[in-house]
Amino acid sequence: GAVVSQHPSWVICKSGTSVKIECRSLDFQATTMFWYRQFPKQSLMLMATSNEGSKATYEQGVEKDKFLINHASLTLSTLTVTSAHPEDSSFYICSARDMGTSNSPLHFGNGTRLTVT
Amino acid sequence: AQKITQTQPGMFVQEKEAVTLDCTYDTSDPSYGLFWYKQPSSGEMIFLIYQGSYDQQNATEGRYSLNFQKARKSANLVISASQLGDSAMYFCAMSYTGTASKLTFGTGTRLQVTL
């Protein structure tokens, strides 16, 4: 089945630094990927839609300058948390759908747990 | 706007018994998809089952079945013959069909399977 790989699985960084998270579709092409954020014991909230070859679409309330998204190829999207602060500590998870298969579900990466100290 | 509601923050079920996790939704769009995902403590999101709004029959996948009642706007997940490994968070989600699966999630239900 379709696999989405996310890296790193966890990262600890100091306040003020930037962190890049990668999301790769391993055996299918994804023109669109999605980035979600999940606080402890809460649901997943969509942050942005990553579009290959064009600008990402951000959900209301998400700072585009803080959460930079780049979808450089049909298999890779990156999320960069710039100038991270402790309140950015969260679980970030990406997802993608195999556009070549009808009715295929959204496949998720294993997530990245970010801790900002 | 779409809205997903899961009213059960936590559920307990005995091993080998069946359990129903509730999900109701609200949308004005006639075309939509309903999903259930399992999230174990490791954090990964595991796809379980999908129901399209125009599907005539309830979806089934192994021990998982979806009780789809369109008029009531409910899409409850039924897990039969529960196993200890079923203990996890379960999320109901909805998408507009044809939007490349932009999902709106419910708040989740934590299922605990006991001996």
Side-chain angles (χ1 to χ4, degrees):
Chain A
V3 177
V4 175
S5 174
Q6 191 171 337
H7 178 80
S9 301
W10 59 270
V11 58
I12 302 173
C13 71
K14 291 186 176 182
S15 188
T17 61
S18 295
V19 174
K20 180 185 283 188
I21 303 170
E22 292 187 348
C23 180
R24 293 182 184 273
S25 56
L26 295 185
D27 55 359
F28 65 96
Q29 294 183 332
T31 55
T32 304
M33 293 185 178
F34 302 91
W35 287 96
Y36 290 83
R37 181 175 183 175
Q38 185 181 30
F39 289 107
K41 300 185 179 181
Q42 293 190 25
S43 187
L44 281 74
M45 298 299 294
L46 180 66
M47 298 175 65
T49 302
S50 173
N51 304 299
E52 189 269 335
S54 64
K55 291 183 179 180
T57 305
Y58 290 82
E59 296 299 301
Q60 192 173 9
V62 178
E63 300 176 58
K64 60 180 68 176
D65 294 331
K66 180 165 190 61
F67 298 101
L68 299 179
I69 291 173
N70 184 276
H71 198 142
S73 74
L74 287 171
T75 58
L76 174 64
S77 174
T78 60
L79 168 69
T80 301
V81 183
T82 63
S83 187
H85 289 96
E87 57 265 31
D88 298 325
S89 298
S90 187
F91 188 66
Y92 295 86
I93 190 165
C94 69
S95 65
R97 178 169 174 257
D98 183 354
M99 302 303 291
T101 304
S102 62
N103 291 330
S104 71
L106 201 61
H107 294 279
F108 284 83
N110 286 343
T112 298
R113 195 164 301 281
L114 171 64
T115 302
V116 185
T117 61
Chain B
Q2 296 176 322
K3 185 178 180 181
I4 293 281
T5 303
Q6 293 180 255
T7 58
Q8 306 155 315
M11 289 282 287
F12 286 89
V13 64
Q14 210 161 18
E15 195 180 19
K16 300 179 185 177
E17 297 293 311
V19 62
T20 297
L21 305 184
D22 294 342
C23 173
T24 58
Y25 60 92
D26 189 20
T27 181
S28 56
D29 193 83
S31 180
Y32 51 88
L34 295 158
F35 302 77
W36 277 92
Y37 284 85
K38 172 184 177 182
Q39 187 180 41
S41 56
S42 56
E44 63 200 285
M45 293 290 284
I46 302 169
F47 166 74
L48 296 179
I49 197 165
Y50 165 82
Q51 180 88 40
S53 59
Y54 294 119
D55 292 345
Q56 296 295 316
Q57 292 189 323
N58 287 346
T60 59
E61 288 286 349
R63 294 187 298 112
Y64 304 109
S65 60
L66 200 151
N67 184 0
F68 181 45
Q69 298 187 39
K70 194 171 183 177
R72 298 180 60 184
K73 293 188 175 180
S74 73
N76 299 339
L77 176 70
V78 180
I79 305 175
S80 62
S82 296
Q83 302 171 356
L84 294 177
D86 294 335
S87 296
M89 279 291 287
Y90 288 81
F91 290 97
C92 181
M94 165 185 273
S95 75
Y96 289 116
T97 302
T99 59
S101 303
K102 177 177 174 179
L103 292 179
T104 301
F105 284 87
T107 50
T109 296
R110 181 168 296 281
L111 177 66
Q112 186 67 46
V113 181
T114 61
L115 291 170

